[in-house]
Amino acid sequence: MRLVEHFEQGLDAPICLTWELTYACNLECAHCLSSSGRRDPRELTTEQCEAVIDELQRMQVFYVNIGGGEPTIRPDFWHLLEYAVAHQVGVKFSTNGVRITPERARFLASTDYVDVQISLDGATAEVNDYVRGPGSFDTALLALQNLQDAGFRDAKISVVCTRQNIGQLDEFKAIADRYGATLRLTRLRPSGRGADVWDELHPLPEQQRELYDWLLAHGDGVLTGDSFFHLAAFGEALPGLNLCGAGRVVCLIDPVGDVYACPFAIHDQFHAGNLLTDGGFRQVWQTSPLFAELRSPQTGGACTKCAHYDACRGGCMAAKFFTGLPLDGPDPECVQGHSELALAGARTIPAASQDHSKATPTRNQPVMLKLMTRPPVSDCAESPLAGFVPDGG
């Protein structure tokens, strides 16, 4: 049996999982897939988090990808990181860099089995701060500098690919090289607040091709996870997991212990159970009816008639769901154009099942969100980047 077939049928334990420790965040990124901002008062206690780590150790989960929200805002974050490492559970945590001080950077440099991922969605402040908020570009670069000065090796720079930053791929790579880091590119998903800005931010068809060509040329030195397997329909498969791993090799635990099949689909339809009420994480992972369904042979629907189906596997489940497309139909960014008819027809966009956005705007609100609060009177009123072409774009 091929390795990919083992993955499709599911594993006894996930290879890795995403754990959103908190929905609290100092930023209000326009495309946040979990609509983060405010802390959920029901979030797991320190003791409950330790119990989850104990279970992950027993299941021999290789590592946990901790996110949020901004995970470092939790007062017990550094304790939980040390607890996980002490229990042979590796930690990769994603952060906007706000708490990566020189002191914390020195601690991280002295700790084994920890990976740090700094979020950066523009190679310039103009592009980054448009979606992540004023000052976030400088905060991220300062965190990278602190990590480099402390001797931390191979930090990751995590970039969500958007219409505004596709032309900056070489510049992102240069930033990564400057700080001795590795570039990680991820796909924009229309979930959380990302659903509200999808039409403006998701890359255009010609940019999808530009991204694909760039990854073919640089992919061996760039991380992508399972973000871009839909691009394989252009021809050659890209490095990475070329199938949807939801419920098969990955899943998500949210701050209150709810388990979802996909880190990009925090919605009731993809809710598999709660580790506090359904017998623990192992029980949810191994017995959830939702996971059993995802691990069963998939029909592929209309996509199975396409000559490229074996390459792209029908694309991203979350991207289809949140754009109102059938799960057995083509990806909304199908590079062969098979989704165009469905996107042009009547669709029902699912309502968000939760929203943790801040109730009132703060000084950290991205330019993009400010512009969305009033009708545009011109291209420049709608986007300060209208007509802007980054260097090298």
Side-chain angles (χ1 to χ4, degrees), residues 116-160:
V116 184
Q117 192 164 274
I118 306 294
S119 297
L120 191 69
D121 292 332
T124 57
E126 290 82 3
V127 174
N128 179 84
D129 294 4
Y130 178 56
V131 293
R132 298 191 63 83
S136 56
F137 180 80
D138 292 338
T139 296
L141 291 196
L142 179 58
L144 287 166
Q145 186 65 62
N146 287 341
L147 289 167
Q148 185 179 49
D149 291 346
F152 186 91
R153 296 185 177 182
D154 197 25
K156 307 298 184 292
I157 298 176
S158 183
V159 176
V160 176

Side-chain angles (χ1 to χ4, degrees), residues 14 16-23 33-34 36 44 52 56 64-69 191 245-267 270-275 281 284-285 290-291 294-295 354 356:
C16 65
L17 60 87
T18 297
W19 187 359
E20 310 284 34
L21 276 182
T22 184
Y23 286 129
L33 61 89
S34 58
S36 291
L44 301 178
V52 172
L56 297 181
V64 58
N65 184 13
I66 291 178
S191 55
R248 299 178 175 113
V249 296
V250 299
C251 68
L252 175 136
I253 301 173
D254 85 346
V256 302
D258 282 327
V259 180
Y260 294 88
C262 172
F264 308 108
I266 306 174
H267 190 277
F270 302 104
H271 179 246
N274 185 286
L275 53 81
F281 176 73
V284 175
W285 175 261
L290 173 64
F291 287 167
L294 290 172
R295 294 163 190 166
Q354 52 182 290
H356 307 278

Side-chain angles (χ1 to χ4, degrees), residues 70-277:
E70 172 52 46
T72 63
I73 284 179
R74 265 191 71 132
D76 60 358
F77 169 76
W78 302 102
H79 163 75
L80 292 174
L81 183 150
E82 291 187 74
Y83 189 91
V85 171
H87 289 76
Q88 293 81 49
V89 177
V91 174
K92 176 188 293 183
F93 72 93
S94 300
T95 174
N96 56 48
V98 66
R99 297 285 173 87
I100 307 299
T101 62
E103 179 184 10
R104 290 300 186 190
R106 287 192 292 272
F107 162 74
L108 290 167
S110 68
T111 305
D112 293 330
Y113 222 25
V114 174
D115 203 5
V116 184
Q117 192 164 274
I118 306 294
S119 297
L120 191 69
D121 292 332
T124 57
E126 290 82 3
V127 174
N128 179 84
D129 294 4
Y130 178 56
V131 293
R132 298 191 63 83
S136 56
F137 180 80
D138 292 338
T139 296
L141 291 196
L142 179 58
L144 287 166
Q145 186 65 62
N146 287 341
L147 289 167
Q148 185 179 49
D149 291 346
F152 186 91
R153 296 185 177 182
D154 197 25
K156 307 298 184 292
I157 298 176
S158 183
V159 176
V160 176
C161 292
T162 67
R163 193 171 302 178
Q164 283 81 6
N165 68 25
I166 289 292
Q168 296 186 319
L169 295 173
D170 287 336
E171 294 171 76
F172 280 122
K173 186 66 168 62
I175 291 173
D177 292 343
R178 184 192 320 159
Y179 291 104
T182 295
L183 182 61
R184 179 176 184 266
L185 301 181
T186 64
R187 184 181 179 186
L188 174 72
R189 262 80 169 199
S191 55
R193 288 195 292 269
D196 299 327
V197 300
W198 167 260
D199 287 339
E200 181 178 343
L201 286 189
H202 80 89
L204 297 168
E206 60 268 26
Q207 292 178 313
Q208 298 278 358
R209 183 73 204 208
E210 181 181 353
L211 173 60
Y212 174 75
D213 290 342
W214 193 90
L215 286 172
L216 280 182
H218 302 87
D220 289 340
V222 176
L223 301 177
T224 59
D226 64 352
S227 282
F228 301 113
F229 59 93
H230 71 294
L231 297 181
F234 275 129
E236 185 178 343
L238 297 169
L241 180 62
N242 282 288
L243 82 158
C244 172
R248 299 178 175 113
V249 296
V250 299
C251 68
L252 175 136
I253 301 173
D254 85 346
V256 302
D258 282 327
V259 180
Y260 294 88
C262 172
F264 308 108
I266 306 174
H267 190 277
D268 292 344
Q269 182 156 330
F270 302 104
H271 179 246
N274 185 286
L275 53 81
L276 296 181
T277 59

